[in-house]
Amino acid sequence: MTDRSTSPPRPIPAAAHPTTAHASPGIGGWAREYAADLHRFLSKRRFIESDIKDVCQEVYLRLLRFERTEVIQNPMAYLFRVAANVAHDFRLRQAQWTPLEAEQLEEPATEPGPEQLLDIEYRNRRLAEMLATLPPLSRAALVLQSQEELTYEEIAARLGVTRRVVKRAIARGYALAREALAQDGVI
Amino acid sequence: MNLGKKETPSNASEWLAEAANKELAASQKAALADWLRESPTHVREFLQMTLVQQDLGNLKISAEQIESWVNEAKSASQEPTRITSVLEPTGRRENTPSGNDGFAVALRSRRPRVWLAAACLVVALLGAGFVRWEEGRYSTGFGEQRIVTLADGSVIEINTDSALQVRFSKHERAINLIKGEAFFRVAHDASRPFVVSAGEANVKAVGTQFNVRMGGDSTLVSVIEGTVEVRDETPAVRAAGSAADDEPAVRVTSGEEASITLARPSNSNKRLAVAKMTRPSPQRAASWTRGRVEFEDTPLGDVLSEFQRYRNVNVVIDDESARQLKLTGSFDAHDPDSALAYIATLPGLRVEEVDAHTYRIVRVDRAQPPPP
């Protein structure tokens, strides 16, 4: 464990493995571990865009503070951990500045509160609406990938297109989804 | 296998897919780390897409729904003209036969929990509008100032009540000043000019320091260091096409200021008029970045409206000759009281406090009837 004065408040794991047991190799595992934290911050309220930018700017600055040799060991672990830290700090700071939102501070509970359930519901509704607007190929590819956890080769076979087309469709899907949802303050 | 340059992910969705597909190779991890450390926008897009990806997995979608979407996609992919063909990058293996290739690769790379494998994006979506390193919009409220460091190391200081949009691409660092004032310290990068557009004027810099202030009917460009080029981007000039390139841009160098106004605002063939002048103290234009406002023979009316940019203070001057009084000095931008205290010391002027936010400046050397 490195200890530098520039480190974020919560430690960054030196090991390249998440604490949760599953062995998902890719981003899924890392993201799953921290997504709740991020969401609790990023979508708790309909976020104004500048807040998200401020958070990401801070994540970025903190990433810069680490030695490159450390970050490249496991960039995603750093990214999600730092983002969760920043989201946490930012929430505290916001709560101090705006007493009106103090009730939104609550505790960093793992159980979603009623308010959070509403947020999840809202988010899911927006996601479904967003899916409806996607080009058919992108929509099908994204859904097969995320819901049925198919590989892109399997998706290609299922849809009767080339892998290449699947890749493009998914890329397009992500780009469009992010654009649509970010506009609504869902992410 | 020759991994061409094209296969290194270059945007968030490609990286996400690449990283989600499988454990990255060490070199890819390094590339991802470097890519993330390149720009806050990269960080943001990557995080946001990760959240989308997580959420999609948690969404409850019926098998029937999925099946109908699959069928819809199948019929869509049969159509002769596909939107995706626009995205076709020029490159190798354009015509991979679908069935065999896909199947063979599937067998090779099948993995127990590769739930995101399909997102392995190695195709650069160049020209599709997705490779857009948009840094986003920055704005300041009344009395607020903000310093933004961009991905390239350039620094923008944004003055009160201003807004700007940053858009970086491979070929250009484009800033659109929407309103207000900003000071730019541009990191040198000859291959990517730094272009500030303000209204219909373009200010192009390579490595320099300058200030751009948009006013009601004119824009002022002040150069502290280096040289910038001011270019007319009115529709008429742009419509002239390549001729616009021949249009001599006005070069403004250190210590100079250019005032840009619309030459014929009422005419549809409007053009910009650029008037250059030399400033005895070029630093003055950037004094606000140090929290100061500086004046040089500036009419009192303008001095006061300058303070009103920063703080909610209302100063009434009843007397036109008082409004035209010339002032020189340097004040704390956020402390109009000290400026008013100074104004009160000027011979012939008196400052009256009407209420917490309102002052009235009156002349005392004339018989001035008290206003109602």
Side-chain angles (χ1 to χ4, degrees):
Chain A
M1 186 87 37
T2 53
D3 181 30
R4 279 199 313 278
S5 55
T6 51
S7 296
R10 284 196 274 165
I12 299 294
H17 299 289
T19 47
T20 43
H22 60 77
S24 174
I27 200 168
W30 286 110
R32 255 194 293 275
E33 200 185 354
Y34 297 108
D37 250 10
L38 288 177
H39 259 322
R40 199 176 300 129
F41 173 71
L42 290 178
S43 55
K44 178 128 199 166
R45 337 175 217 137
R46 308 285 158 264
F47 249 101
I48 49 170
E49 216 189 335
S50 66
D51 281 344
I52 290 177
K53 280 190 185 138
D54 285 347
V55 167
C56 293
Q57 172 95 14
E58 180 61 25
V59 171
Y60 165 75
L61 289 176
R62 290 192 193 184
L63 279 180
L64 287 185
R65 279 189 226 140
F66 293 104
E67 293 289 344
R68 179 177 178 274
T69 49
E70 279 176 44
V71 182
I72 64 174
Q73 297 300 315
N74 201 325
M76 280 172 299
Y78 269 84
L79 175 69
F80 294 127
R81 192 57 177 262
V82 168
N85 282 353
V86 170
H88 177 79
D89 292 357
F90 204 83
R91 205 150 47 91
L92 287 181
R93 213 150 36 103
Q94 289 260 319
Q96 278 169 1
W97 286 344
T98 51
L100 274 180
E101 288 162 3
E103 81 277 2
Q104 297 186 316
L105 178 62
E106 294 146 14
E107 70 305 324
T110 39
E111 292 288 312
E115 199 181 335
Q116 216 178 331
L117 286 174
L118 274 180
D119 273 328
I120 292 171
E121 200 189 294
Y122 171 78
R123 203 159 71 223
N124 286 343
R125 204 173 60 235
R126 285 299 299 122
L127 273 169
E129 285 166 12
M130 179 278 297
L131 276 177
T133 65
L134 287 183
L137 264 179
S138 293
R139 174 169 54 226
L142 278 185
V143 166
L144 287 176
Q145 175 211 49
S146 61
Q147 295 273 315
E148 304 200 349
E149 306 193 355
L150 300 187
T151 64
Y152 59 77
E153 291 83 4
E154 290 163 340
I155 296 173
R158 181 93 173 259
L159 296 180
V161 294
T162 63
R163 235 172 73 236
R164 184 190 196 91
V165 168
V166 170
K167 281 184 282 184
R168 281 202 301 260
I170 282 173
R172 190 146 182 254
Y174 273 128
L176 292 173
R178 189 196 77 86
E179 234 167 68
L181 298 174
Q183 253 172 26
D184 291 357
V186 173
I187 50 169
Chain B
M1 184 178 175
N2 174 31
L3 282 178
K5 206 177 167 186
K6 230 185 291 173
E7 309 224 349
T8 302
S10 65
N11 64 28
S13 54
E14 289 175 16
W15 266 121
L16 172 62
E18 190 72 27
N21 184 41
K22 52 179 188 264
E23 179 82 27
L24 294 176
S27 64
Q28 282 179 308
K29 282 184 184 172
L32 173 59
D34 289 341
W35 179 81
L36 286 168
R37 282 152 62 108
E38 229 170 67
S39 152
T41 308
H42 295 175
V43 167
R44 176 162 53 94
E45 292 185 350
F46 193 82
L47 282 174
Q48 286 178 323
M49 285 186 195
T50 309
L51 291 177
V52 171
Q53 175 217 68
Q54 299 289 306
D55 285 352
L56 279 177
N58 293 333
L59 209 57
K60 285 184 182 61
I61 305 175
S62 69
E64 294 77 36
Q65 179 68 81
I66 294 178
E67 202 46 48
S68 93
W69 279 341
V70 165
N71 289 330
E72 205 181 320
K74 276 183 181 167
S75 51
S77 65
Q78 306 302 316
E79 287 166 18
T81 50
R82 297 201 305 263
I83 294 174
T84 47
S85 64
V86 178
L87 310 180
E88 198 77 32
T90 55
R92 59 210 182 79
R93 303 219 300 167
E94 288 295 335
N95 301 310
T96 310
S98 70
N100 287 342
D101 182 65
F103 187 60
V105 177
L107 286 180
R108 268 205 312 276
S109 64
R110 190 185 291 270
R111 207 153 288 139
R113 270 197 75 135
V114 202
W115 68 297
L116 263 176
C120 181
L121 302 159
V122 283
V123 180
L125 291 168
L126 283 170
F130 295 128
V131 187
R132 202 179 50 185
W133 298 331
E134 189 179 285
E135 303 277 321
R137 191 185 154 114
Y138 299 89
S139 58
T140 52
F142 196 57
E144 190 191 350
Q145 290 179 345
R146 194 168 168 192
I147 300 179
V148 179
T149 304
L150 302 179
D152 67 331
S154 296
V155 176
I156 306 180
E157 297 190 39
I158 308 169
N159 205 354
T160 172
D161 196 21
S162 303
L164 56 81
Q165 177 90 33
V166 178
R167 200 167 274 135
F168 276 18
S169 71
K170 272 188 176 158
H171 309 292
E172 192 181 72
R173 296 170 286 173
I175 316 285
N176 180 21
L177 182 59
I178 298 157
K179 65 165 179 172
E181 179 170 25
F183 179 76
F184 303 90
R185 226 168 300 167
V186 181
H188 185 86
D189 182 354
S191 68
R192 277 202 302 172
F194 192 97
V195 179
V196 178
S197 57
E200 279 152 333
N202 258 2
V203 182
K204 184 171 151 188
V206 174
T208 178
Q209 297 187 17
F210 61 101
N211 192 72
V212 180
R213 175 173 176 171
M214 290 180 87
D217 40 33
S218 72
T219 294
L220 193 66
V221 178
S222 314
V223 180
I224 311 301
E225 190 190 295
T227 302
V228 302
E229 286 176 2
V230 177
R231 216 175 266 279
D232 190 340
E233 288 286 317
T234 47
V237 173
R238 248 188 313 185
S242 61
D245 293 334
D246 306 331
E247 189 85 1
V250 177
R251 289 171 69 85
V252 186
T253 63
S254 168
E256 289 180 332
E257 257 176 15
S259 168
I260 305 157
T261 46
L262 269 184
R264 275 174 290 164
S266 56
N267 194 318
S268 59
N269 289 327
K270 59 191 181 180
R271 286 204 162 204
L272 296 181
V274 181
K276 248 169 54 163
M277 55 208 136
T278 306
R279 279 277 157 207
S281 51
Q283 293 293 337
R284 197 187 60 95
S287 61
W288 64 264
T289 62
R290 305 186 304 273
R292 308 292 296 176
V293 281
E294 291 178 11
F295 305 107
E296 252 176 57
D297 286 336
T298 310
L300 182 57
D302 294 353
V303 170
L304 293 169
S305 52
E306 183 70 25
F307 279 109
Q308 283 163 10
R309 292 175 68 199
Y310 296 92
R311 231 181 71 176
N312 183 18
V313 56
N314 185 25
V315 184
V316 184
I317 315 178
D318 297 323
D319 188 299
E320 184 55 30
S321 69
R323 201 188 299 274
Q324 294 304 327
L325 260 182
K326 298 285 174 58
L327 238 68
T328 297
S330 168
F331 301 95
D332 182 336
H334 299 277
D335 185 14
D337 295 342
S338 69
L340 285 167
Y342 168 74
I343 291 165
T345 67
L346 296 173
L349 290 185
R350 196 173 67 223
V351 178
E352 295 171 350
E353 191 173 341
V354 179
D355 61 45
H357 298 291
T358 313
Y359 298 84
R360 178 182 294 123
I361 296 178
V362 291
R363 279 210 98 112
V364 289
D365 58 345
R366 291 181 193 183
Q368 185 84 15

